[in-house]
Amino acid sequence: MWLNPEEVLLKNALKLWVTEKSNKFFLLQRRRGHGDSAGKISGLLVGALDTVLDSNARVSPFRILHQVPGSQVSWVIASGAAVEEVNKHWDWLLRNLLPSLSVFDSKDDLSGFVTGKVKGLIAEEVRGRQAAQEDDPEKFREALLRFELHFGLPSSEKLVTHHSCCCWKGRVPRQGWLYLSINHLAFYSFLLGKEVKLVVPWAEVTRLERVSTGLMADMVRVSTRQRQRHFSMFLNLEEVFGVMGQLADIALRRLLDSGGLELDQVLQKPARITKRVLEQQALREYVLALFRLPRGERLHEVALCSVWTPHARCHTAGTLYTTDNYLCFSSREEGHCILIIPLSEVLSIEKAESTSLLPNPVILSVRSKKAFQLIELQDRDELVDGLSVRLRALQWKLSMFRQSSRGKRSLSNPAPYYTFYYDTVCSDKEEIEQALRNTVNTEALMTAFQHSQPASNTPNSKSLEQGKERLWEEHFLEYGRGVHMFRTEKIQKLVAMGIPESLRGELWMTFSDACSDVVSHQDYYAGLVKDSMGYSSLATEEIERDLHRSLPDHPAFQNATGIAALRRVLTAYAHRNPKIGYCQSMNILASVLLLYIKEEDAFWLLVAVCERMLPDYFNRRVIGAQVDQSVFEELIRERLPELAEHIPDLSPLSSISLSWFLTLFVSVLPFRSAVCVVDCFFYHGIKAIFQLGLAVLEANAMQLCASPDDGSALMILTGFLDNIRNDEEVSTQPSSSLPGEVPDASSPAIGHTQITDLINDSYEKFGDLTVRQVERLRCGHRIQVLQAHEDTTKENALRVVTPDVSITPENLSCVYDLFKTEHFINLYWGDGSTSQALQHHDLGRPYVEQYRVDRAQFKSLYRLLAPWLCGLHTDTVAHRTFTLLDQDRDNLITFREFAGWLDTLYSEDLNVKIRLLYRLHIPPALTESEEEPSPMKSPLISTNRPLYLPNGKVKEMEDYQEQLKQMLKDLAKEKEKDVEKPLPLMNQREFIQFCKTLYSMFHEEPGDSKLFQAIATVTSLVLQIGEVGHRSSCSGSGVGCEDGAEPIVEGEGLSQQDHPVFSTKEEEEEEEGTKMSYLSPTESEWTMSYAQILASLLTEQVLVNFFEKPVDLSAKLAEAKVKQYHERAGLLVLQQGTS
C-alpha cells in the first residue's frame, strides 16, 4: 500500500534490508530473513525479531524507497506484505513517474513532486474506499471531491451523503448542494456568478424541524443559537430529515455527553459512519425499542416472512429480526402480533421441505415442547446457517457456565450468601436486624404481607382475582405461556383489566424477558450482594437516605425485612453499574418490584427497567426523562391542540409530569391503581406512559384551560390522580388509598375514576402512537435537551468567572464560545494523540473546568486573541504563557484560567501587564531546557560589556543613576504594601529573552522605529542599573573589580543594531577581545528585579503609551470568530499532509 512519505537516513541500517530492484530514483527492498531459503543466521535473527514484535510495530516484508541522487536521505513511499502487491506499485512508478523525473534540476523539486504524487494516490484510495460503501460509487466520488474543494476541511471530515436542494435567504431560494458530514452541515451554491458557502457544525444545532411556510409546503428548518436556515425541494425529504437528525444526535451525544449517554460502539468511531451504517443503526434502535431488547444486541438478519399463529388458524405476514440472542417477529401492523424467542430457549432450527402451500418453511423447536413455523423466507439457507452457528455457540457457552457453576457450588460453603456484620457487639434487636440484612429473600414481600392489605381479603376482591386468573389461564392455553407467547390485542385487553396478584410477578418477568437474565446469570446476584455490602460510596449514602421514603405507607416497608431487601437490591445494582449508581426514584420502582417477585428476580427486573426499557433515565442529569418530557410536550400540541392553545407554555405541565415518567405513576397514584399502570408499562413500554399521560390531561382539559396559574393546574391534576381507584377498592375504600384511613364525613363526596377506564380510554384515543414515532421524536428532542444543558453549563461558567474579570458579559460569552469551539475542533480532526481528558466531556467537573484545552489548542487561541503578537517569536511566548497558566501541571488549562489571562491583557493597567511579561521570562514559564522554536538566536552578552553612549553624557548618566536608585527605593517601599508574593529576580539569560519578546512585539507596529529606540534606551538603562548593583555587591562582598577599564566608550548614537542585546553573533565575536578585558574571573552573574525593569520602562512614554493603548476586544473576538474555524482547519490539513 502507498504510505505517507517518511524520511529514512540509512537505506540499509544494520543490513536489515536486501535490495531487489533499483534505478536512479527508486529502490525495491525485501526484509532480510523473509523468503530466504538458505537460512543464514542474520536472516533468522531478523525474522525472529519481526515475529516477536506486536502487530503495531511489525515491519512489512517489502518496501519501496524514493531516493535523490547525491542525497543521504530517502523516503519510504510504499510497503506490502506480498511481493505481488509491491510489484504492482513498482510497475506503476516505472510507467507513470519515472519518465517525467529527469526534467527536474532541483533535488527539492524532484522529491516534492514524488511525495506530493504519493499523497495524492493515498487521498484517492481513501475516497475510493468511502465511495465503495455507497450505492453509486462514481457519483459519491465526484461529490467527495467537490466537498473537499469547496470547503477545504481536513480529509478526516468524512462526508456521509449529499443532496440537491434550495437554501432560502429571506424569500429568495438558492439552488445548490447540501453536504452532510460527520461533524457538519455544509451548503454550496454558485449561480449567476455569485458563490454562497455555509458550514454549520452539528454541535451548534439546537433544533431540527419539518415546517410549512407560505413559500413552501414542506421545509427543513435548521436552528442554531444565532439564526435559522431553511432548506427545501429535496427529492426525498423524509430520508434527508432522518439522516440530519441522526447525525446531529450522534455528534451531540459524542461531543457533549460522551460517557453519559448510551452510544453504539460503531458510532463512537466517526470514520466508520456511512449512510448505510446510519440506516442500519436506525433500524437497530427501532428493533431494540419495539421488542425492548438489551442495548448491546446487534442486529444480524432482517427478513420478510409469515408465522403460523394457532389462535388465528392462519399464517400472519410480517418481518423477522434476528439478533445475537433473540429471534423477533412483528406483524405488518405494529402491535397486532409480536413474538419474541430467546435463542437460549431454542432447541433446534430445521429446514422443512418446500411446497406450493408452504414455501421455504423453517421449524423452530423450543424447550417448552412447542414449535414455530415460518414460511416465505427469502435467503432461507443463509439465515438458517447464521442462526445455527449462533445457537451452537450459545449452547456451548451455557453448558460451560453450568459446569463452572456446579463446580463452584460444590466447593462453596452452603451457608447464607454472605456473612458480613456491621458491628462487632450487637444487642438482640440489632442481631436480628443484622441477620435480616444478610438474608436474601426467596419469595415476594407481598406473600408475607398479604394479610395486612384489607382490600385484598374481601369476598368481592377474591372473586375478581379468580375471574382474572381464569381468563389468563384460558389465554395461556390458546396463545402460549412464557417469553415466547404470542402477544396480540387480546393480551392488551387483559393487561388493561389489571394482572391478577398471583400472576403479576411472573408476567412482569415474562414481558421484560428478565427471566432469561436470571437463567443465564445464576449466582450473579449473590456474588454482587457479597461484594457490595459494607462498601461505602456516595451511592450507598444516598440509598440509606432514601430507604425509608420508599412506599412508607406499605406494611412491607415498615419493618426491617423489606428495608433490608430494598437495600440489597439497590446496593447490588449500584455496584453492578457504577455509571448509573443510584438515582432517585429507583428506590420506588425497586420497592414495587420486591412486593411481587423474589429478591433476585427484582434485581434483574430493575436491570431491565434501567438499562433497556428506560434508557438514559437514571443518570446524573436524567437526560432520558427530560427528553421524554420534551416529546410529551410535542404530543400535547399534536393530540390536544385546544389545551396547547390555552396554555402556550407547556413547561409547567412538563414539570408536573416528570414524576409520572420517573416513577411510572407510582408516586402520584394510589398504590393499587399504580401497579395497574406498571402492568401496562411492562407490556407496552414507555408508550403506555405517554398514552396514559395524554389521557389524564384530556380528562382535565377544561379545568386546566380555566386554571389561572401553575399552582392551580398542579392542584387539579393532583386531586384527579388521588381519586383514581382500582375496581377492587371502589367498594371497600371509597375515599382513601391508605389502609385504615377513615374518610371525613363532613367533606363533600368526591367522584372517583376507575384506573381500568382510564387505561382503556388511553388505548382507545391514543393507541395509534407507535414505537417508531416515539423513537423519531426522541432523536429530535434529545438535541434540544442536550443544548439546553449546554446553555446551563455556559451560564454557570460565566456566572463563576464574571466577578473575577473586567471583560463585559457579551465579550466573555464570545470568549467562552471560542474556547469551546477550539476544544471541539480537536475532537473533529485531531489525530487521536490528545489526552483522555480532552476526548471526553467530563460532566463531573466544575462548570468552568468541563471544557479544557491543551498546549496546541491554546497556541491557536493565542494567535487569534492576543493583542500583541511577536512575529516568529509568537509560538515561544504562547508556549511560556501556557506553562505559566497551567498551575496544576496537567498540561491543560480551564476557561477560568484562560479568561483571567485575557482579562490581564485587555483590562488591567500597565503594571499588571508588565508583571505578566516579567513572569513569562522567569521559571516556571521559562526553563533551562526550553527548546527555542523561534529562529531568532539568543546572543550571549556580558553585563560588564561597555555601554555605548553619546559623547559628553557620562556625568549626566551618573546623576541619572542616582535618580534611578532613589526611584527603586520608592518602588520597593510601595512593593512592601502589595499583598502579592514578591517575584524572583531575573538573571542574564532570562533578561535576554525578555528583551527579545519586547523587540518582537514592536516588529509590526506603525511607529516601530520609535519603539525600537525606546526599548534600546530602556535596555541600556537596565544594564546600567544592573552594573551599578553588581559593582556594589562586588565591593560589599570583598570581591575586587578590575581597575583601569573605562566603562563608557565614545559613540555617535544608539540604534537597534548597535544595541548589545540585538547584536549579531559575528559582531559579538569581533568584540570578544574587548569584552574579555572587562570580565573578572571571580565575579558572579548579575540579577535584575521586576521593580527595576518596571521603573526603566516607565521612563519611556512611547512604551507606556504602547502598553496602555486600549484594544477593542469586541472587534478582536469578531475577527477571531471568522478566522478560527478555517485557519485551524487549514493548519490541520497541513499537519496531516506532512505527517
Side-chain angles (χ1 to χ4, degrees):
M1 63 178 176
W2 297 108
L3 303 175
N4 267 320
E6 182 178 348
E7 287 189 4
V8 177
L9 292 178
L10 299 176
K11 302 171 189 175
N12 194 12
L14 304 178
K15 299 189 180 298
L16 298 178
W17 295 91
V18 178
T19 300
E20 296 284 329
K21 301 178 183 180
S22 66
N23 55 48
K24 188 176 180 181
F25 299 106
F26 301 104
L27 293 172
L28 191 156
Q29 295 183 331
R30 171 179 55 82
R31 187 77 164 172
R32 188 178 295 277
H34 183 85
D36 286 342
S37 58
K40 294 181 180 180
I41 186 65
S42 59
L44 293 174
L45 289 174
V46 174
L49 176 65
D50 291 343
T51 301
V52 299
L53 288 174
D54 61 36
S55 59
N56 294 324
R58 198 170 294 158
V59 180
S60 298
F62 297 96
R63 71 178 184 179
I64 297 177
L65 299 180
H66 164 55
Q67 61 180 0
V68 178
S71 173
Q72 296 296 319
V73 178
S74 300
W75 289 266
V76 180
I77 59 174
S79 67
V83 66
E84 294 80 10
E85 179 186 6
V86 78
N87 275 335
K88 186 187 297 183
H89 292 334
W90 178 263
D91 293 340
W92 188 93
L93 290 171
L94 297 183
R95 186 171 58 253
N96 296 283
L97 270 191
L98 189 61
S100 58
L101 297 183
S102 58
V103 302
F104 290 96
D105 297 328
S106 169
K107 295 179 182 179
D108 293 338
D109 292 344
L110 174 64
S111 60
F113 175 76
V114 173
T115 55
K117 197 68 176 177
V118 171
K119 290 176 182 178
L121 290 172
I122 294 172
E124 187 64 26
E125 282 186 354
V126 172
R127 295 190 194 98
R129 285 196 295 270
Q130 292 185 30
Q133 299 174 7
E134 302 299 323
D135 297 331
D136 190 346
E138 289 303 319
K139 186 177 179 181
F140 187 82
R141 188 192 300 269
E142 293 176 6
L144 186 58
L145 288 171
R146 291 198 304 267
F147 177 68
E148 294 177 353
L149 176 66
H150 295 326
F151 303 103
L153 300 178
S155 59
S156 56
E157 182 62 26
K158 191 172 185 302
L159 180 65
V160 176
T161 185
H162 65 290
H163 298 274
S164 173
C165 70
C166 280
C167 178
W168 292 79
K169 185 177 181 182
R171 302 178 66 87
V172 179
R174 296 189 178 278
Q175 181 65 34
W177 286 92
L178 181 70
Y179 299 89
L180 306 179
S181 67
I182 52 176
N183 296 308
H184 301 85
L185 175 153
F187 177 80
Y188 179 83
S189 173
F190 185 82
L191 290 174
L192 303 176
K194 186 168 185 179
E195 186 179 54
V196 175
K197 289 183 186 179
L198 71 90
V199 178
V200 180
W202 294 121
E204 293 183 8
V205 173
T206 58
R207 184 185 291 263
L208 285 172
E209 303 169 282
R210 290 181 63 174
V211 297
S212 296
T213 65
L215 300 174
M216 293 294 297
D218 210 356
M219 307 175 73
V220 175
R221 176 187 292 162
V222 181
S223 302
T224 64
R225 292 180 177 86
Q226 286 76 34
R227 60 174 300 176
Q228 295 178 341
R229 293 179 174 86
H230 295 83
F231 301 90
S232 67
M233 300 182 68
F234 294 98
L235 292 177
N236 191 338
L237 182 63
E238 186 75 24
E239 175 190 330
V240 176
F241 185 72
V243 172
M244 292 171 70
Q246 279 185 281
L247 288 172
D249 179 44
I250 292 168
L252 289 173
R253 282 196 280 177
R254 180 168 53 89
L255 297 172
L256 303 186
D257 209 324
S258 55
L261 295 176
E262 295 295 335
L263 190 61
D264 190 73
Q265 291 293 327
V266 175
L267 302 180
Q268 291 179 5
K269 299 177 180 178
R272 297 174 61 181
I273 297 177
T274 64
K275 182 181 176 183
R276 189 175 302 169
V277 167
L278 291 178
E279 292 171 352
Q280 294 171 351
Q281 186 65 19
L283 180 59
R284 173 182 172 272
E285 290 183 355
Y286 166 69
V287 171
L288 295 185
L290 178 62
F291 301 105
R292 295 182 293 283
L293 302 181
R295 308 301 294 177
E297 288 291 306
R298 294 173 299 173
L299 184 63
H300 291 283
E301 293 96 5
V302 179
L304 297 176
C305 69
S306 296
V307 173
W308 175 254
T309 48
H311 57 275
R313 300 290 188 272
C314 67
H315 284 90
T316 300
T319 307
L320 177 71
Y321 306 94
T322 67
T323 68
D324 293 333
N325 299 291
Y326 292 88
L327 285 87
C328 304
F329 173 83
S330 176
S331 58
R332 289 176 180 172
E333 182 182 349
E334 184 182 296
H336 177 69
C337 179
I338 287 179
L339 179 65
I340 302 174
I341 307 175
L343 271 181
S344 58
E345 293 291 315
V346 176
L347 292 176
S348 64
I349 303 172
E350 301 173 349
K351 292 181 284 187
E353 184 178 352
S354 181
T355 66
S356 59
L357 295 177
L358 301 175
N360 297 331
V362 173
I363 307 299
L364 283 84
S365 302
V366 297
R367 297 182 188 278
S368 60
K369 299 181 180 180
K370 291 181 61 176
F372 297 90
Q373 183 188 72
L374 290 77
I375 63 171
E376 300 176 344
L377 276 164
Q378 300 294 329
D379 300 324
R380 178 183 67 165
D381 294 342
E382 293 181 10
L383 187 143
V384 171
D385 291 343
L387 283 173
S388 300
V389 169
R390 292 199 294 277
L391 178 60
R392 286 194 296 270
L394 182 62
Q395 290 174 343
W396 177 84
K397 180 180 177 182
L398 291 175
S399 65
M400 297 298 293
F401 177 77
R402 292 191 187 100
Q403 292 178 13
S404 174
S405 299
R406 282 196 295 269
K408 289 180 180 178
R409 281 198 293 270
S410 63
L411 295 173
S412 62
N413 190 339
Y417 287 132
Y418 51 90
T419 56
F420 180 86
Y421 289 88
Y422 287 89
D423 301 311
T424 55
V425 179
C426 303
S427 64
D428 293 342
K429 184 177 179 181
E430 289 172 335
E431 287 180 359
I432 294 173
E433 184 177 348
Q434 294 295 352
L436 288 173
R437 286 193 178 203
N438 301 318
T439 304
V440 174
N441 294 338
T442 56
E443 62 179 12
L445 293 177
M446 189 65 80
T447 305
F449 295 94
Q450 185 76 17
H451 63 277
S452 302
Q453 298 296 307
S456 63
N457 297 318
T458 62
N460 185 36
S461 63
K462 288 182 178 180
S463 63
L464 285 173
E465 283 291 299
Q466 290 170 358
K468 292 178 182 178
E469 290 172 3
R470 187 167 55 254
L471 290 174
W472 276 98
E473 291 298 334
E474 293 172 357
H475 182 274
F476 291 149
L477 289 174
E478 188 175 2
Y479 293 86
R481 189 166 189 166
V483 177
H484 40 68
M485 72 169 69
F486 286 99
R487 309 181 190 199
T488 65
E489 293 179 352
K490 184 176 179 181
I491 199 173
Q492 174 182 308
K493 295 176 182 178
L494 290 175
V495 171
M497 292 170 58
I499 299 175
E501 300 276 334
S502 58
L503 295 174
R504 179 164 276 140
E506 175 192 342
L507 289 173
W508 285 359
M509 296 291 287
T510 297
F511 293 153
S512 66
D513 192 35
C515 51
S516 296
D517 290 328
V518 176
V519 173
S520 60
H521 295 82
Q522 295 179 15
D523 298 333
Y524 176 84
Y525 176 67
L528 271 182
V529 170
K530 185 175 181 179
D531 293 340
S532 62
M533 293 305 289
Y535 176 77
S536 179
S537 66
L538 179 61
T540 58
E541 293 175 5
E542 293 177 345
I543 289 170
E544 290 295 329
R545 193 163 52 241
D546 287 347
L547 284 176
H548 295 278
R549 303 175 186 172
S550 310
L551 301 184
D553 298 321
H554 198 286
F557 298 101
Q558 293 173 350
N559 65 76
T561 302
I563 294 297
L566 181 60
R567 176 187 291 111
R568 286 191 294 271
V569 169
L570 293 176
T571 306
Y573 184 79
H575 196 70
R576 163 192 163 86
N577 191 343
K579 183 192 292 187
I580 292 178
Y582 171 75
C583 182
Q584 284 189 347
S585 78
M586 286 173 63
N587 59 320
I588 296 176
L589 295 179
S591 302
V592 176
L593 303 181
L594 283 167
L595 290 173
Y596 293 98
I597 51 180
K598 63 181 182 179
E599 188 175 315
E600 183 176 6
D601 293 351
F603 168 79
W604 284 112
L605 201 50
L606 182 65
V607 170
V609 171
C610 295
E611 299 176 11
R612 285 193 268 149
M613 304 185 74
L614 295 176
D616 302 324
Y617 261 59
F618 302 99
N619 53 32
R620 197 172 70 88
R621 301 194 296 175
V622 291
I623 295 291
Q626 294 185 52
V627 170
D628 281 351
Q629 290 307 292
S630 186
V631 171
F632 190 50
E633 288 184 26
E634 181 162 336
L635 290 174
I636 294 172
R637 294 188 183 94
E638 179 184 331
R639 303 299 183 99
L640 303 173
E642 293 183 2
L643 178 62
E645 184 179 349
H646 282 82
I647 310 177
D649 182 12
L650 294 173
S651 55
L653 289 181
S654 179
S655 301
I656 295 170
S657 63
L658 179 61
S659 61
W660 303 356
F661 287 79
L662 283 172
T663 66
L664 308 179
F665 281 90
V666 172
S667 63
V668 295
L669 284 176
F671 177 74
R672 291 191 172 275
S673 300
V675 292
C676 293
V677 177
V678 179
D679 295 341
C680 298
F681 168 76
F682 279 116
Y683 181 70
H684 269 302
I686 196 62
K687 170 187 168 183
I689 307 301
F690 281 118
Q691 291 175 179
L692 191 63
L694 291 171
V696 169
L697 293 180
E698 191 203 35
N700 296 273
M702 293 182 63
Q703 293 174 279
L704 290 173
C705 290
S707 62
D709 51 39
D710 300 342
S712 301
L714 175 61
M715 295 298 294
I716 291 168
L717 292 174
T718 302
F720 176 80
L721 294 171
D722 284 343
N723 287 283
I724 293 178
R725 293 290 181 267
N726 195 347
D727 293 340
E728 305 167 10
E729 294 178 302
V730 173
S731 60
T732 60
Q733 216 169 330
S735 61
S736 174
S737 62
L738 301 180
E741 185 176 333
V742 179
D744 185 0
S746 61
S747 60
I750 300 175
H752 298 294
T753 301
Q754 291 190 18
I755 185 62
T756 53
D757 292 340
L758 187 63
I759 291 174
N760 286 322
D761 195 41
S762 72
Y763 280 122
E764 181 181 342
K765 295 179 178 178
F766 309 107
D768 59 335
L769 180 65
T770 65
V771 172
R772 194 182 296 275
Q773 291 172 342
V774 171
E775 289 304 302
R776 187 182 298 116
L777 289 172
R778 278 176 165 177
C779 182
H781 286 275
R782 191 181 294 111
I783 297 171
Q784 301 174 34
V785 170
L786 288 176
Q787 292 289 21
H789 277 275
E790 278 302 292
D791 292 339
T792 301
T793 299
K794 178 179 177 179
E795 290 170 6
N796 283 284
L798 297 180
R799 177 179 53 81
V800 171
V801 173
T802 298
D804 300 333
V805 298
S806 302
I807 302 174
T808 63
E810 294 79 10
N811 286 342
L812 192 61
S813 175
C814 293
V815 172
Y816 182 90
D817 292 338
L818 287 169
F819 190 84
K820 176 179 167 183
T821 300
E822 192 65 35
H823 173 88
F824 282 162
I825 287 175
N826 186 71
L827 295 181
Y828 295 157
W829 307 312
D831 57 3
S833 61
T834 54
S835 65
Q836 192 73 8
L838 288 181
Q839 296 176 14
H840 294 282
H841 183 195
D842 188 355
L843 299 170
R845 300 183 68 88
Y847 289 112
V848 292
E849 298 179 13
Q850 289 189 14
Y851 291 109
R852 293 174 288 174
V853 296
D854 61 13
R855 194 178 299 272
Q857 294 168 301
F858 175 78
K859 288 180 179 180
S860 175
L861 289 171
Y862 186 96
R863 290 181 177 276
L864 290 170
L865 295 177
W868 317 299
L869 295 180
C870 302
L872 298 176
H873 197 56
T874 300
D875 194 64
T876 303
V877 178
H879 177 89
R880 295 173 187 162
T881 305
F882 181 89
T883 304
L884 181 65
L885 296 178
D886 182 21
Q887 298 180 2
D888 52 3
R889 299 293 177 263
D890 60 352
N891 288 318
L892 298 169
I893 64 169
T894 66
F895 174 66
R896 184 202 292 270
E897 294 164 340
F898 183 80
W901 165 75
L902 210 60
D903 182 63
T904 299
L905 296 182
Y906 282 92
S907 304
E908 295 291 352
D909 57 21
L910 171 68
N911 291 3
V912 181
K913 294 176 183 177
I914 300 301
R915 183 183 179 87
L916 174 61
L917 280 174
Y918 184 91
R919 293 181 65 195
L920 292 179
H921 298 85
I922 58 175
L926 181 68
T927 60
E928 291 292 336
S929 59
E930 178 184 284
E931 295 183 5
E932 180 65 64
S934 172
M936 299 176 65
K937 303 299 181 183
S938 299
L940 297 175
I941 66 169
S942 167
T943 57
N944 287 340
R945 182 171 181 162
L947 297 180
Y948 293 84
L949 296 177
N951 188 24
K953 293 192 176 181
V954 175
K955 188 175 185 302
E956 182 179 332
M957 174 55 69
E958 291 175 352
D959 295 336
Y960 193 65
Q961 288 174 9
E962 296 300 324
Q963 296 177 14
L964 287 178
K965 285 183 180 180
Q966 185 60 41
M967 183 184 298
L968 291 176
K969 291 179 182 179
D970 296 337
L971 284 172
K973 292 179 181 179
E974 291 293 324
K975 198 64 180 175
E976 290 177 358
K977 302 176 183 178
D978 196 349
V979 295
E980 294 187 19
K981 183 179 178 181
L983 294 174
L985 298 178
M986 180 181 285
N987 62 28
Q988 171 184 305
R989 172 179 173 271
E990 295 160 357
F991 177 67
I992 294 171
Q993 296 296 325
F994 180 84
C995 295
K996 284 177 60 177
T997 299
L998 290 178
Y999 165 74
S1000 303
M1001 288 169 59
F1002 308 145
H1003 192 65
E1004 298 178 0
E1005 285 295 314
D1008 55 357
S1009 59
K1010 295 181 179 179
L1011 289 168
F1012 287 144
Q1013 183 68 28
I1015 194 59
T1017 303
V1018 168
T1019 304
S1020 300
L1021 296 180
V1022 172
L1023 289 171
Q1024 183 68 18
I1025 293 170
E1027 178 67 21
V1028 172
H1030 180 65
R1031 290 177 180 272
S1032 300
S1033 62
C1034 287
S1035 59
S1037 60
V1039 179
C1041 298
E1042 282 199 45
D1043 296 328
E1046 180 60 49
I1048 306 299
V1049 180
E1050 293 185 3
E1052 296 299 326
L1054 193 64
S1055 67
Q1056 170 199 334
Q1057 289 77 14
D1058 294 331
H1059 197 277
V1061 174
F1062 305 115
S1063 59
T1064 64
K1065 188 174 181 180
E1066 291 76 8
E1067 292 171 342
E1068 297 273 341
E1069 291 173 352
E1070 292 175 3
E1071 298 166 354
E1072 187 67 24
T1074 308
K1075 178 176 68 176
M1076 292 300 294
S1077 65
Y1078 292 88
L1079 291 175
S1080 173
T1082 59
E1083 62 186 358
S1084 60
E1085 187 178 32
W1086 65 268
T1087 57
M1088 186 63 57
S1089 70
Y1090 161 69
Q1092 292 171 319
I1093 290 178
L1094 176 61
S1096 301
L1097 289 171
L1098 290 174
T1099 61
E1100 292 292 332
Q1101 190 62 41
V1102 177
L1103 296 178
V1104 173
N1105 293 341
F1106 174 82
F1107 285 109
E1108 290 189 341
K1109 180 177 66 176
V1111 181
D1112 188 357
L1113 179 58
S1114 300
K1116 197 76 173 177
L1117 290 170
E1119 181 185 2
K1121 189 173 182 180
V1122 174
K1123 294 169 59 177
Q1124 178 187 26
Y1125 218 76
H1126 292 288
E1127 283 195 0
R1128 189 87 161 97
L1131 178 62
L1132 285 167
V1133 169
L1134 292 175
Q1135 291 174 350
Q1136 292 174 3
T1138 58
S1139 61

